[in-house]
Every structure is written in structure tokens, then in C-alpha cells.
């Protein structure tokens, strides 16, 4: 069974992801006024990923690292989740006329698929706790 801190992190990550979904959906809705659904997602997704990084940094994982390198690591570590999410989005939009006309459906499904990848990479790559050097390692560096 998962520990309470892990369950709390998953729930916070899901809440942050929901906020990211709203940011992405709003950006997508505005962008589809000017371009088709696929280029619209290219515009809206970076807004959402930056919002989720900031919220996860402050609330889910309480990071104290320098923000510039962490933001870059967050983007890099979540690249697989981004590919999975956007690949799912494109496949759904291109394979179903109804979904093409209602791209928020594709966005919702794709967001859930990408969330699992993004949680794992965020927890174990981006926001993992600093490992302090053991006394043996400290003695070796002296």
C-alpha cells in the first residue's frame, strides 16, 4: 500500500494537473479561433506545462532548488509524457471527426494518459530530494 506522503503527492499532482488542463483548455480555445486544433495545441501546451511546473514546485514537491535549472529539468524530464500526451491528442483528433470538431475531448483523454508519465518523471527525476554525501564520500573528497 502507498504511503500517506505519496498519496498526498499524487493527489496534489492531480489537482495541479487539473489546473494545467484548464490553462491548456483556455489556451486551446483561444488559439482555435485563429488556427486549426493541432497548431493550437502547440501554442497552448507550453503555457500549461509552465503553470504545472510552478505549482508542483511550490505545493506538490516543495522544491528549494534554483528555479531556472529546475524548470529546464522539468521540461526535459516530462518530454516523454509530453510526447505521449500530444501523440494521443493528435491521433484522437485525426482519427475521429467528432473529436476533431471537439478537441477538448482529445485533450482530456490525452492529459490523463500523460499524467502517469509526468508524475513518475517529476517525482523521481526533477523534484527528488537532494542526496547528502555519506561520511565515507566526504572523507574521500578531503
Amino acid at each position: 500500500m502507498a504511503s500517506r506522503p505519496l498519496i498526498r503527492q499524487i493527489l496534489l499532482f492531480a489537482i495541479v494537473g487539473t489546473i494545467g488542463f484548464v490553462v491548456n483548455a483556455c489556451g486551446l480555445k483561444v488559439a482555435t479561433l485563429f488556427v486549426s486544433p493541432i497548431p493550437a495545441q502547440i501554442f497552448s501546451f507550453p503555457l500549461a506545462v509552465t503553470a504545472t511546473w510552478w505549482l508542483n514546485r511550490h505545493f506538490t514537491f516543495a522544491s528549494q532548488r534554483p528555479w531556472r535549472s529546475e524548470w529546464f529539468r522539468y521540461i526535459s524530464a516530462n518530454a516523454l509524457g509530453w510526447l505521449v500526451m500530444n501523440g494521443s491528442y493528435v491521433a484522437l483528433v485525426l482519427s475521429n471527426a467528432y473529436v476533431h470538431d471537439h478537441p477538448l475531448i482529445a485533450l482530456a483523454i490525452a492529459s490523463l494518459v500523460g499524467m502517469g508519465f509526468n508524475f513518475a518523471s517529476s517525482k523521481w527525476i526533477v523534484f527528488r530530494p537532494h542526496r547528502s554525501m555519506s561520511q565515507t564520500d566526504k572523507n574521500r573528497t578531503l
Side-chain angles (χ1 to χ4, degrees):
M1 184 167 168
S3 68
R4 279 198 162 139
L6 178 61
I7 292 169
R8 180 180 183 279
Q9 282 183 330
I10 292 169
L11 289 174
L12 285 172
F13 194 84
I15 291 166
V16 167
T18 301
I19 294 167
F21 172 80
V22 170
V23 170
N24 201 348
C26 290
L28 184 66
K29 198 69 170 163
V30 170
T32 55
L33 296 173
F34 304 99
V35 297
S36 67
I38 292 171
Q41 175 66 349
I42 293 168
F43 164 77
S44 66
F45 184 76
L47 298 174
V49 78
T50 298
T52 60
W53 160 75
W54 190 89
L55 292 167
N56 279 319
R57 172 184 171 77
H58 291 285
F59 300 108
T60 307
F61 300 107
S63 177
Q64 301 295 318
R65 294 183 173 162
W67 70 269
R68 286 183 182 112
S69 63
E70 184 181 84
W71 181 84
F72 181 75
R73 275 198 329 273
Y74 185 81
I75 299 300
S76 298
N78 286 279
L80 180 57
W82 181 84
L83 290 172
V84 168
M85 181 190 146
N86 285 295
S88 300
Y89 174 83
V90 169
L92 288 165
V93 166
L94 294 178
S95 68
N96 185 297
Y98 184 80
V99 174
H100 183 275
D101 294 339
H102 301 90
L104 294 181
I105 295 169
L107 181 62
I109 294 168
S111 295
L112 290 173
V113 170
M115 188 177 113
F117 288 97
N118 290 337
F119 179 78
S121 64
S122 292
K123 179 164 182 59
W124 289 293
I125 296 172
V126 179
F127 298 109
R128 72 176 182 272
H130 290 305
R131 290 171 46 185
S132 62
M133 293 176 65
S134 68
Q135 189 61 43
T136 305
D137 291 338
K138 288 178 186 176
N139 290 337
R140 286 184 194 154
T141 60
L142 296 177

